[in-house]
Amino acid sequence: TQLIQKLAFEHSLIIETSGAHGEVLKLLPPLTIENSQLQEGLDILHKVVQSVVDTNKSNKNLFHLASKEKDPQKELVGAGA
């Protein structure tokens, strides 16, 4: 959530985090916000969250591929043999 907060701020959207581990995003729009401004903020938040999710999926896929490509025999060389 801290990355989401940072990226949102870089796109002129201020959000807060809370919770014991910063796992909650807080949106604090004024009660008098125009619909167009609210939609713009939600669009920014959507793009930022999607970007972080896509990056995390990509990183997990790369890690998964890298771990599959390892040769188990190479891992055992010198390990008590």
Side-chain angles (χ1 to χ4, degrees):
T1 54
Q2 289 178 349
L3 179 56
I4 292 170
Q5 181 184 29
K6 178 181 181 283
L7 292 173
F9 184 78
E10 290 174 2
H11 289 85
S12 303
L13 180 64
I14 298 172
I15 55 177
E16 293 184 9
T17 59
S18 64
H21 304 287
E23 71 277 9
V24 177
L25 292 176
K26 296 192 311 185
L27 307 178
L28 305 167
L31 294 176
T32 57
I33 193 169
E34 295 289 328
N35 284 341
S36 61
Q37 289 178 311
L38 179 60
Q39 188 60 55
E40 182 180 356
L42 292 173
D43 289 344
I44 291 169
L45 182 60
H46 178 262
K47 288 176 186 174
V48 166
V49 170
Q50 190 64 55
S51 172
V52 171
V53 168
D54 291 346
T55 300
N56 285 342
K57 282 182 182 178
S58 177
N59 288 342
K60 285 181 182 178
N61 287 340
L62 289 175
F63 177 76
H64 184 67
L65 288 173
S67 63
K68 278 187 168 184
E69 291 174 0
K70 287 184 180 178
D71 184 353
Q73 293 301 319
K74 289 181 182 178
E75 296 291 325
L76 297 176
V77 172

